[in-house]
Amino acid sequence: MTNFHRVTPTFSVAGQLTVADVQRAADAGFKVIINNRPDNEEPSQPSSAAMRTAATAAGLGYRFLPFAGPPPPAVVGETATLMDKGTGPILAYCRSGRRSTLAWALAGALIGAATPDEILALAASAGYDLSGAREALESLAPRG
């Protein structure tokens, strides 16, 4: 059973989910699952197709936004759109949750959801050190 790490009231992250974790996520009130893990990154991980099927069966939205390394602009943009739309509580996952947290952080900075300092503190409270992303967060944050 994978642990869900709450970053904000509407965004949580997790390491690799199983198909069984999808129903648990629905039962916990999540509305959308974001898969940030490329298929076949590890032989034992469920495929995106299997996770999409499980999400649909559980009544959840599902987005496959895979990446390795820094999140590309398209992933940050789509994550920001989902966050900005208020689609309901979102659960994003990757291998450990760190990539998903970084995508959330950059998206949050882009839409001005919080200041870079607040974003770093929220990530740290969820167990993820994103201090190395400070410069990127500051470059994306709206100028006031």
Side-chain angles (χ1 to χ4, degrees), residues 22 47 55 80-81 88 99 101 114 126 144:
V22 174
S47 69
T81 298
R99 269 182 283 190
T101 304

Side-chain angles (χ1 to χ4, degrees), residues 16-40:
Q16 177 65 55
L17 297 180
T18 65
V19 170
D21 288 326
V22 174
Q23 184 59 55
R24 194 167 59 86
D27 293 344
F30 291 102
K31 302 296 181 199
V32 175
I33 291 179
I34 298 173
N35 177 357
N36 292 131
R37 192 160 192 203
D39 275 344
N40 302 312

Side-chain angles (χ1 to χ4, degrees), residues 61-87:
Y62 179 85
R63 297 293 190 284
F64 184 47
L65 303 175
F67 66 95
V75 169
V76 174
E78 179 67 18
T79 302
T81 298
L82 290 167
M83 291 167 56
D84 209 25
K85 279 183 175 177
T87 55

Side-chain angles (χ1 to χ4, degrees), residues 35-124:
N35 177 357
N36 292 131
R37 192 160 192 203
D39 275 344
N40 302 312
E41 190 174 51
E42 189 174 287
S44 63
Q45 78 187 63
S47 69
S48 176
M51 296 302 283
R52 179 181 303 279
T53 298
T56 300
L60 298 174
Y62 179 85
R63 297 293 190 284
F64 184 47
L65 303 175
F67 66 95
V75 169
V76 174
E78 179 67 18
T79 302
T81 298
L82 290 167
M83 291 167 56
D84 209 25
K85 279 183 175 177
T87 55
I90 297 168
L91 176 62
Y93 76 92
C94 58
R95 187 185 63 76
S96 69
R98 187 177 190 289
R99 269 182 283 190
S100 295
T101 304
L102 184 55
W104 160 82
L106 295 173
L110 183 64
I111 62 174
T115 68
D117 285 339
E118 292 166 335
I119 289 168
L120 292 172
L122 287 166

